[in-house]
Amino acid sequence: MYQMLLKNIEKRKFIYAFSFILFSLLILAFFNKNTNSIKNLGNNKISFSREEELNLIRDFLFKQIRSPFKDIRHGIKKGDSIGKILKKYNVENAQIQEVIEQYKIYGKANQLLVGNTIDLTVEKNIISGGNSIIKFFIPITKSTSIEIKKNEFGKLQSEKIITKLYKKTVVAENVITNSLYKSAINSKVNPDTIIEFARIFGFEIDFQRDIRKNDYFKIVYDKYFDENGEMVKTGSILFAHMSVNGREITLYKFGSDKSYGYFDINGKSVEKALMKTPINGARLSSSYGMRKHPILGFNKMHMGTDFAAPMGTPIMASGSGTITRAKWCGGGGNCIKIKHNSTYETIYAHMKSFAQGMKVGKKVRQGQIIGYVGSTGMSTGPHLHYEVIVNGKKVNSQTLKLPSGKTLKDDERQKFEVHRIKTDVLVSELLNKNN
């Protein structure tokens, strides 16, 4: 939306500039017909050459036609406050108060960092003669700045911008007493990392049927903090372990930051064409097969799998691919269809809404959130209806056997072994620190 506002501002700047140039050319064309014009100043006559005459006209026009926008850089001095600075640049009082209120969310308006620079863009109000704020950018610490800008509705809004972050590798572990999600939250793991963890293990574990009470998980990942120690974001998972129903599964991130995968202790990729379940924290509410339709009332083949979950629960793409349908699908409500390759397609129905940017032709990656659980169409309650299509035929996603991922060999395998040992040492050190 802000981009739209910027485009409008640039458009207005362009109109001003274009009008000025066009007007100037018309004036110059008119005066160009006379090779030597005579200007009367008082009672004196002065002869001008064509070049001198054109320069006079140009200077006059520049003074008369000016853009209402002005970019200002102000170096903060001792005793400066936001109010004092904005009054200096003739900003209207109402706008000054608005900027101060937005800034107060993050700092004190009369305690600014001396020596730093404030960047602001103002627009002159033709009626009042004062200036209004388009953008106000100010540093508040060495690694943090505040940007206050007009939104598409003409109101000022603020945003905290982090310019420098500090990375810390952390480990989280817990026993699962109810669900993976709740146990991970209790261990202070943020939701995005939990979703990524579920995606990684989603190839091997059915979170609706395999998880048992007292199962165990362990995650090693990066957290990024600002200079005040406040967490800003998390990085990718470096190491993941689960003890599930008697099975021990350990996975390692391996590869470059732009292209990596997760491999078990034998160097075998855990990733397959499709995840077993595209949703976390749900229960299997209706299996694939013949059933009595809950609304129509007669027996009908159920060509998918239903997962009951709270309204708004994120739905993930079970595999990477291209969206071929993102619209209202009648009884299926809001639905998305993804073509993964020449063999596999998946359908996700009854969505409350689509995730931002989801449309036909959009490429999505495995585990990416594509929408949210709803109860649209012919539905008795919030759930996801999930279908898998193999070579044009709908199949049972829960019994589908998917091809195994690749196994590292030769040089890659040797590099992985070194990486695996280093990671195991790191995990051990982090656990010792916690204890």
Side-chain angles (χ1 to χ4, degrees), residues 391-402:
N391 293 321
K393 182 181 178 181
K394 294 180 180 181
V395 301
N396 187 346
S397 64
Q398 302 304 292
T399 60
L400 177 65
K401 300 295 182 183
L402 294 167

Side-chain angles (χ1 to χ4, degrees), residues 180-248:
L180 170 66
Y181 187 85
K182 288 184 178 179
S183 297
I185 288 292
N186 290 339
S187 297
K188 298 182 181 179
V189 181
N190 71 300
D192 288 342
T193 301
I194 299 171
I195 290 172
E196 176 68 0
F197 186 83
R199 184 194 76 81
I200 296 169
F201 280 100
F203 303 103
E204 293 291 325
I205 297 172
D206 185 334
F207 284 94
Q208 279 68 51
R209 296 187 292 181
D210 294 344
I211 300 292
R212 300 287 186 274
K213 188 176 181 179
N214 295 324
D215 284 342
Y216 167 82
F217 73 88
K218 183 164 48 185
I219 315 172
V220 173
Y221 61 105
D222 291 327
K223 284 185 174 182
Y224 293 87
F225 299 85
D226 63 17
E227 63 185 303
N228 297 319
E230 182 180 344
M231 195 193 80
V232 176
K233 66 175 185 177
T234 58
S236 56
I237 293 172
L238 309 176
F239 169 93
H241 173 84
M242 285 201 80
S243 176
V244 180
N245 200 15
R247 294 175 63 197
E248 299 287 334

